[in-house]
Amino acid sequence: MTKPLLNLEKTEQLRSHAAQTEHPRELIVDVLRAIQEENGWVPDEGIELAASILGLSPLQVEEVATFYDKIFRHPVGKKVIHVCDSICCWSRGGEWIVQILREKLGIDLGETTSDGEFTLLPTCCLGACGEAPAMMIGFTLYGNLDAEKIEAILAKERSGGRP
Amino acid sequence: MKKHTLLLFKNRRPGETVFIEEYRKQGGYTALFKALREMTPAEIRDTVKASGLRGRGGAGFPTGTKWSFFPSDQGGQKYLVCNGDEMEPGTYKDRVLIEADPHQLVEGMIIAAYAMQIPTGYIFIRYAYKNAFDCLQRALAEASEAGFLGKNILGSGFSFELHLHGSAGRYILGEETALLNGLEGKRANPRSKPPFPAVRGLFDKPTTVNNVETLANVPHIINGGADWFASLAYTEGGAGTKLFGLSGHLESTECHELPIGITLGDVVREYGKGVWQGRRFKACLPGGASTPYLTAEHMTVPLDFAPLEQVGSRLGTGGVTVFDDHTCMVEATLNLNRFFARESCGWCTPCRDGLPYVSWLLEKIEKGQGTMEDIDNLRHQVHNINGRSFCALAMGAMGPVESLLRLFEEEIVDHIRKGRCPLKS
Ligand SMILES: Cc1cc2nc3c(=O)[nH]c(=O)nc-3n(C[C@H](O)[C@H](O)[C@H](O)COP(=O)(O)O)c2cc1C
Ligand code: FES
């Protein structure tokens, strides 16, 4: 691995934060999210790094990391598409939206496109029920989806790239 | 449309967030001055109790009563936790509130903390609410800058520190004891109650957990008084306003602040602009994915805690999801139940194993492969799961299933007799 899991500055910041708090363990999710933000996902080495920053065992970190559906313990594409499959989106064509995404990306739910650009995952309600059907790419929310809109969104996200 | 008083949405403008300057221009933080300078903690607790405010997070527990159980006079560390997990399908009102006017929540938390003499608070925000998180981060910085957070607030001698926690998914985190485990950096399975959080909560210290909307009401109650707040409701026994997030098969699906006790019919017709595509109303979830269905015969029912319980449902979170007459209620219930089954934390058997079994039964019926025995089986599962699960998640899951059996038995039987879904051609 060439790139560090977490840049030095951020690592130091988290270390000093951990040193100042009474309960360093409460920072687990913050540290995991920081590692994920930089790598896209959290590899085993990330679990070990988080454990060392917080003075915990890797197992203590792992049991938390695997609990959350938005912490990825498998490699994902540059961008993760979270498509809502809960009731309000379902009532306004959510299943059809999933179908369109699968066709346009040529992958099934849980898979990553061969160019490594997108991973497609189902998610429960995004709190965008008034704009159903909805999906979130990275942290960007898209609502009132239809085939045309999805086409435009994917084109924009594809060229946008990730910093 | 009758005119009514707005509290939580009085500053709301589409696509904008009100920050401290504008908030204070509109009277923001005057309640904090009043609370800290003119009221004792006990007086605030009594005012909130007298106002009739009930929790907006789903369970509807009277807020003042919860606060009166809290060991306010006990010294040492205690915590105030704001529950902003908001992951129950059909519920999006806390996001709208925070993105419109986040300082209400901050001010409400400072007053609540003072009322219970709590030195430390946390706001817990779900992963998907990045924008709401950013709004709150800025609001907290502004409040600190203005001297409303930190040491010796407004020279009162009271100090309060408020942290923001961004989560990483899973509906179970909304359950208050699971949320406390999550905040502590532990696997977020719920804890057994008792001990209740008021006795042993976050880091084993006395803790009050309240919903975003509940806490945001507090400044308005302090400014307007308990009687005024209670009088805002249309129902005798009700109090205040409620945020109703509309969704599903309505022409207009937005979030509105409406008096508690407004009828379902008025919400659907006036604020939802009627059922979409000129279709007919078949059913709705009145307060989120865990609340039993209502049907067209319930149009005159006031949306308030007690009247909804009388017709076998709940006000829940106030997320109203409407289904038109083209909807198969077996399929809708299957979608809801799959959500609960997937989000089960796996801790207890009725939830971990019972919910997938219910999904399997519903799917079998929906596919036209069900038998009359499956209906009895479903009924048995509802009885078996209710009251036997470790936390309220599985009980919430049974809300739609129980009401499907009660209100739409004919539709279930029709699937079985025809050997296919009667609503699909
Ligand atoms: C599975 C489950 C999920 C919940 N999710 C939330 C939530 O997202 N937000 C919330 O405020 N309350 C939620 N609750 C209710 C909380 O446990 C708790 O009652 C509430 O936060 C108390 O605040 P309130 O009295 O102000 O309503 C949930 C409960 C259960 C059982
Ligand atoms: S159900 Fe899809 S955003 Fe709420």
Side-chain angles (χ1 to χ4, degrees):
Chain A
M1 196 167 287
T2 46
K3 195 167 147 274
L5 281 165
L6 203 54
N7 68 58
L8 223 57
E9 194 189 338
K10 186 77 193 168
T11 311
E12 279 320 305
Q13 191 192 327
L14 287 166
R15 267 190 214 281
S16 79
H17 193 164
Q20 283 161 25
T21 75
E22 201 183 333
H23 315 277
R25 188 175 179 151
E26 71 177 306
L27 300 174
I28 287 190
V29 176
D30 295 330
V31 176
L32 289 170
R33 280 183 62 166
I35 292 171
Q36 181 159 295
E37 204 159 292
E38 214 152 298
N39 299 273
W41 66 294
V42 182
D44 291 348
E45 297 79 10
I47 298 290
E48 282 157 21
L49 176 64
S52 94
I53 290 174
L54 300 172
L56 299 168
S57 73
L59 187 63
Q60 284 172 313
V61 177
E62 177 72 336
E63 67 171 9
V64 171
T66 53
F67 192 84
Y68 292 101
D69 67 307
K70 300 294 189 285
I71 298 293
F72 310 126
R73 286 289 281 117
H74 289 281
V76 290
K78 278 192 208 142
K79 292 181 174 182
V80 178
I81 303 177
H82 305 274
V83 56
C84 175
D85 62 5
S86 290
I87 191 73
C88 313
C89 290
W90 171 85
S91 78
R92 296 179 79 112
E95 288 177 337
W96 182 62
I97 297 301
V98 172
Q99 197 51 37
I100 294 171
L101 284 166
R102 286 170 59 191
E103 277 166 22
K104 288 210 192 298
L105 297 167
I107 52 171
D108 213 334
L109 289 167
E111 293 180 350
T112 300
T113 51
S114 54
D115 61 0
E117 197 70 26
F118 296 113
T119 296
L120 182 61
L121 295 177
T123 184
C124 66
C125 178
L126 291 164
C129 323
E131 298 145 68
M135 67 176 175
M136 188 171 79
I137 303 185
F139 281 111
T140 312
L141 191 72
Y142 297 100
N144 299 312
L145 297 175
D146 57 33
E148 227 170 277
K149 255 192 165 166
I150 290 174
E151 180 95 318
I153 291 165
L154 290 182
K156 193 196 94 186
E157 288 281 351
R158 210 180 272 281
S159 62
R162 223 178 99 105
Chain B
M1 233 183 267
K2 262 192 281 183
K3 263 197 111 58
H4 59 268
T5 309
L6 295 181
L7 326 177
L8 303 170
F9 281 177
K10 79 178 156 72
N11 298 333
R12 180 184 178 209
R13 262 175 264 115
E16 277 179 51
T17 307
V18 168
F19 286 105
I20 199 158
E21 201 181 319
E22 181 64 18
Y23 182 66
R24 294 196 69 178
K25 250 190 234 157
Q26 302 302 330
Y29 286 109
T30 52
L32 180 66
F33 279 86
K34 182 173 172 188
L36 292 187
R37 300 222 162 125
E38 297 166 27
M39 296 174 83
T40 64
E43 276 168 354
I44 297 172
R45 297 197 301 270
D46 292 344
T47 303
V48 170
K49 194 167 185 176
S51 77
L53 174 67
R54 294 178 61 167
R56 306 303 198 222
F61 195 83
T63 307
T65 306
K66 186 185 276 191
W67 292 11
S68 71
F69 292 154
F70 192 79
S72 300
D73 298 331
Q74 180 182 313
Q77 188 57 280
K78 292 174 282 186
Y79 295 101
L80 175 66
V81 174
C82 169
N83 189 343
D85 190 53
E86 190 161 77
M87 284 179 73
E88 178 150 329
T91 310
Y92 59 100
K93 45 108 185 164
D94 292 340
R95 174 177 64 85
V96 176
L97 187 158
I98 293 169
E99 288 178 351
D101 201 356
H103 276 284
Q104 296 179 91
L105 172 58
V106 178
E107 185 180 5
M109 285 191 77
I110 305 167
I111 296 171
Y114 172 69
M116 288 173 275
Q117 293 292 294
I118 294 176
T120 310
Y122 284 85
I123 304 176
F124 181 101
I125 298 289
R126 66 175 291 191
Y127 178 88
Y129 285 3
K130 173 84 166 60
N131 188 34
F133 185 93
D134 293 345
C135 291
L136 276 169
Q137 202 160 36
R138 174 165 162 194
L140 290 180
E142 289 176 341
S144 299
E145 175 88 2
F148 301 148
L149 284 171
K151 293 224 166 7
N152 189 19
I153 299 168
L154 305 178
S156 64
F158 173 70
S159 303
F160 183 55
E161 218 182 292
L162 186 49
H163 307 285
L164 194 54
H165 174 87
S167 189
R170 296 306 289 276
Y171 169 60
I172 190 63
L173 273 290
E175 197 283 333
E176 59 184 14
T177 62
L179 186 150
L180 297 178
N181 276 338
L183 274 181
E184 289 185 14
K186 295 182 181 148
R187 219 173 147 81
N189 298 115
R191 301 175 178 177
S192 72
K193 292 193 266 193
F196 288 91
V199 176
R200 208 189 304 157
L202 190 63
F203 302 114
D204 289 338
K205 303 292 183 202
T207 302
T208 293
V209 183
N210 274 128
N211 171 260
V212 171
E213 184 186 349
T214 310
L215 289 163
N217 268 300
V218 171
H220 302 290
I221 293 171
I222 295 305
N223 267 337
D227 294 342
W228 167 81
F229 183 80
S231 76
L232 297 175
Y234 286 165
T235 30
E236 260 318 296
T241 62
K242 177 82 196 74
L243 302 183
F244 290 98
L246 309 188
S247 63
H249 300 152
L250 290 168
E251 281 296 338
S252 172
T253 52
E254 287 175 22
C255 188
H256 299 271
E257 179 179 12
L258 302 169
I260 284 257
I262 187 169
T263 64
L264 175 61
D266 282 349
V267 170
V268 168
R269 279 184 301 268
E270 292 180 25
Y271 298 93
K273 308 273 191 291
V275 178
W276 75 345
Q277 301 176 11
R279 291 184 188 170
R280 291 187 24 206
F281 181 99
K282 181 167 184 177
C284 78
L285 297 159
S290 66
T291 55
Y293 298 121
L294 298 181
T295 63
E297 71 179 82
H298 297 120
M299 283 298 166
T300 56
V301 174
L303 298 180
D304 187 3
F305 296 97
L308 280 167
E309 272 162 37
Q310 270 160 28
V311 296
S313 191
R314 291 189 299 113
L315 182 62
T317 62
V320 182
T321 306
V322 169
F323 302 106
D324 67 20
D325 56 352
H326 291 222
T327 311
C328 170
M329 295 312 292
V330 175
E331 204 185 0
T333 311
L334 172 60
N335 175 283
L336 288 164
N337 197 74
R338 278 185 176 145
F339 159 79
F340 288 107
R342 191 173 68 195
E343 293 301 323
S344 169
C345 77
W347 185 260
C348 72
T349 310
C351 185
R352 181 191 59 241
D353 292 355
L355 299 187
Y357 183 52
V358 169
S359 282
W360 182 79
L361 286 169
L362 288 168
E363 188 176 348
K364 192 174 166 216
I365 295 168
E366 174 59 17
K367 280 185 172 161
Q369 295 157 2
T371 62
M372 296 302 282
E373 219 172 84
D374 291 330
I375 302 182
D376 292 335
N377 241 332
L378 266 182
R379 208 164 266 130
H380 177 72
Q381 284 309 312
V382 172
H383 290 303
N384 202 35
I385 291 170
N386 267 335
R388 289 209 172 91
S389 56
F390 190 67
C391 83
L393 185 144
M395 258 155 25
M398 289 305 100
V401 183
E402 177 278 319
S403 56
L404 175 79
L405 289 160
R406 176 162 46 85
L407 301 167
F408 297 100
E409 187 174 357
E410 241 172 83
E411 192 168 317
I412 308 177
V413 173
D414 211 20
H415 279 78
I416 295 169
R417 259 204 309 256
K418 293 200 169 99
R420 64 176 173 82
C421 175
L423 283 116
K424 281 191 194 131
S425 41

